[in-house]
Amino acid sequence: MKKTTKLIPMEVLNQVAPVIRNTAHPLRLRILDYLQCAGEPQNVNQITEATDVAQAFVSQQLRILKDQGVLTCQRHGLFMMYEISNPALLHLLECIRTHGKDCK
Amino acid sequence: MKKTTKLIPMEVLNQVAPVIRNTAHPLRLRILDYLQCAGEPQNVNQITEATDVAQAFVSQQLRILKDQGVLTCQRHGLFMMYEISNPALLHLLECIRTHGKDCK
DNA sequence: TCCCTATATAGTGATATAATTATATTCAGG
DNA sequence: CCTGAATATAATTATATCACTATATAGGGA
């Protein structure tokens, strides 16, 4: 291997790996996919309908994604609107869409 | 959201999420990055040198990646040569490289 | 203020993952 | 067949995550 090639520093890997790991969960990926498709902020009820699990469970996942910096939210009256704040994670959806298609 | 938009089926998410989750580990990402940069199969000793942890630990990670279908290996005499068998996972590296750059 | 709707948190037991150490296996050459 | 180099497995302890249920908070309108 060429000595000039630069690997991603371990420091960066240590920092970003947990974000990916925490996002790579079926329900959280569904939420991400839904928000990307929607193209605009969605409230919790809309997001809950896009999955088929209990609202409390969805709220838990939303919080995890918010804690990881993947989503942000903003209150509009009664409604809490969520949107994607770190598009880098959309690479995960791309990964899933191509998974199994290339080379397998 | 448009009704015509198709979300990734839960079945697919359930299947692929664990693969991503298992790959999104600092050392395993380093291995993936190294193998991509190398461009050709590498043996365990080479891979171990690209990290700075014990060989036994590297072997464990290689096995996990192999179990997930991310890598394959082939014996050449004394050496076990590993290579990437599912390039879809390289999206994770892309995700890391762009993480923090866009929108944060 | 009281109530209803929308959303968030707490608590729980089962299960899984992490990193490490010690040890085992496999193969080629002499 | 014995040895040493290369690689793999086992066993272990600490810690984290999963999915679920029950309950709590927060805001708007009557």
Side-chain angles (χ1 to χ4, degrees):
Chain A
M1 158 167 176
K2 295 178 296 183
K3 295 218 173 90
T4 54
T5 312
K6 271 241 215 70
L7 298 178
I8 298 169
M10 282 309 293
E11 188 188 341
V12 173
L13 296 178
N14 284 321
Q15 187 188 344
V16 183
V19 179
I20 297 178
R21 163 172 287 270
N22 279 310
T23 304
H25 174 286
L27 189 48
R28 303 201 268 274
L29 288 168
R30 160 56 59 100
I31 291 171
L32 205 62
D33 192 15
Y34 173 71
L35 287 176
Q36 179 181 35
C37 287
E40 53 184 13
Q42 302 284 302
N43 68 44
V44 177
N45 191 46
Q46 292 172 313
I47 296 170
T48 300
E49 281 173 0
T51 70
D52 60 346
V53 302
Q55 172 271 320
F57 195 26
V58 170
S59 263
Q60 263 186 165
Q61 313 311 317
L62 289 171
R63 182 146 131 80
I64 291 171
L65 290 170
K66 190 155 67 92
D67 286 350
Q68 300 296 329
V70 179
L71 304 183
T72 52
C73 61
Q74 199 175 2
R75 184 174 280 280
H76 278 254
L78 270 182
F79 300 92
M80 205 57 126
M81 309 303 289
Y82 283 85
E83 66 184 317
I84 297 170
S85 62
N86 191 342
L89 274 298
L90 295 175
H91 282 290
L92 297 198
L93 298 177
E94 218 38 61
C95 173
I96 294 169
R97 293 192 187 100
T98 64
H99 187 274
K101 296 214 173 77
D102 45 30
C103 177
K104 209 174 164 191
Chain B
M1 160 167 176
K2 294 178 297 184
K3 295 219 175 86
T4 53
T5 312
K6 271 241 213 70
L7 299 177
I8 298 168
M10 281 310 294
E11 188 188 340
V12 173
L13 296 179
N14 285 320
Q15 187 188 344
V16 184
V19 179
I20 297 178
R21 163 171 289 268
N22 280 309
T23 305
H25 173 286
L27 189 48
R28 302 201 269 275
L29 288 167
R30 160 56 59 100
I31 292 172
L32 204 61
D33 191 16
Y34 173 71
L35 287 176
Q36 180 183 33
C37 287
E40 53 184 15
Q42 302 284 303
N43 69 43
V44 178
N45 192 46
Q46 291 172 313
I47 297 170
T48 300
E49 281 173 2
T51 70
D52 59 346
V53 302
Q55 172 272 319
F57 195 26
V58 169
S59 263
Q60 265 187 162
Q61 313 311 317
L62 289 171
R63 182 146 130 80
I64 291 171
L65 289 170
K66 190 155 67 91
D67 287 350
Q68 300 296 329
V70 179
L71 304 183
T72 53
C73 62
Q74 200 175 0
R75 184 175 280 280
H76 279 255
L78 269 183
F79 299 92
M80 204 56 124
M81 308 304 288
Y82 283 83
E83 66 184 316
I84 296 171
S85 62
N86 191 342
L89 273 298
L90 296 176
H91 283 290
L92 297 198
L93 298 177
E94 219 37 62
C95 173
I96 294 169
R97 293 191 187 101
T98 63
H99 188 276
K101 296 213 174 78
D102 45 32
C103 177
K104 209 176 165 189

